[in-house]
Amino acid sequence: MKGGAAQQIGAICYRTNEMGAVEVLLITTRDSGRWTIPKGWPIENLKPHQAAEREAWEEAGVAGKAKKRALGYFTYLKTLSGGQTTPSVVEVFSLKGDELHLEFPERGAREVAWLSPVEAARRVQEPELKGLLMRMLKEPLR
């Protein structure tokens, strides 16, 4: 916790489809089923971009390299086990999805969808995350 807010790390996974258009990955949360990106707590002994890679693998089966520099941040209210909520700041890294695995740790616990950045932005609730997803139309490779 920093300044009363939980810190998390997230990944906007992207790929290019057969038509050359960028697609981004969304997953559902395990509890509420709302759409979001792979994210989690910082991981000891891993740099933030490496933690983003780990979250993408564990939650969605995506293997690839995350950019070392964060794409940006978004905030949301995280519901903890017990029902209480805490503000959370998510540091987001773009990650090029090089491999997609059918077997991964949280398989079956979440839905996974590859979408256009516009459709992905429609599905998520957080305004700042919507903005980060829309940036993927212009700068996925940064």
Side-chain angles (χ1 to χ4, degrees), residues 9-10 20 22 29 35 38 41 45 57 60 75 77 80 85 88 94 110 135:
I9 306 294
V22 172
T29 61
W35 290 100
W41 304 110
N45 299 322
W57 157 249
T75 57
L77 281 177
L80 303 171
T85 60
S88 183
S94 62
R110 305 172 183 278
R135 279 181 56 190

Side-chain angles (χ1 to χ4, degrees), residues 19-95:
M19 305 278 284
V22 172
E23 294 179 327
V24 295
L25 176 98
L26 290 184
I27 61 172
T28 55
T29 61
R30 287 184 293 195
D31 295 330
S32 68
R34 68 181 174 74
W35 290 100
T36 191
I37 61 171
K39 64 185 177 324
W41 304 110
I43 301 170
E44 192 173 342
N45 299 322
L46 290 185
K47 294 178 180 174
H49 72 279
Q50 294 169 323
E53 292 168 358
R54 172 88 56 87
E55 293 301 331
W57 157 249
E58 289 179 356
E59 296 185 356
V62 175
K65 284 286 187 192
K67 298 291 180 191
K68 291 181 181 176
R69 187 170 165 216
L71 180 66
Y73 297 83
F74 76 95
T75 57
Y76 78 109
L77 281 177
K78 169 119 182 107
T79 303
L80 303 171
S81 58
Q84 67 269 38
T85 60
T86 186
S88 183
V89 177
V90 183
E91 185 176 15
V92 179
F93 295 84
S94 62
L95 184 151

Side-chain angles (χ1 to χ4, degrees), residues 101-142:
H101 297 267
L102 297 177
E103 296 294 325
F104 52 94
E106 295 187 20
R107 180 178 177 259
R110 305 172 183 278
E111 280 185 62
V112 175
W114 287 96
L115 307 161
S116 72
V118 172
E119 179 57 29
R122 282 189 190 119
R123 291 194 189 189
V124 300
Q125 297 173 358
E126 301 81 9
E128 297 147 321
L129 181 53
K130 289 176 185 289
L132 291 173
L133 290 163
M134 291 302 290
R135 279 181 56 190
M136 298 305 289
L137 284 169
K138 297 183 181 123
E139 54 185 282
L141 303 178
R142 277 197 187 174

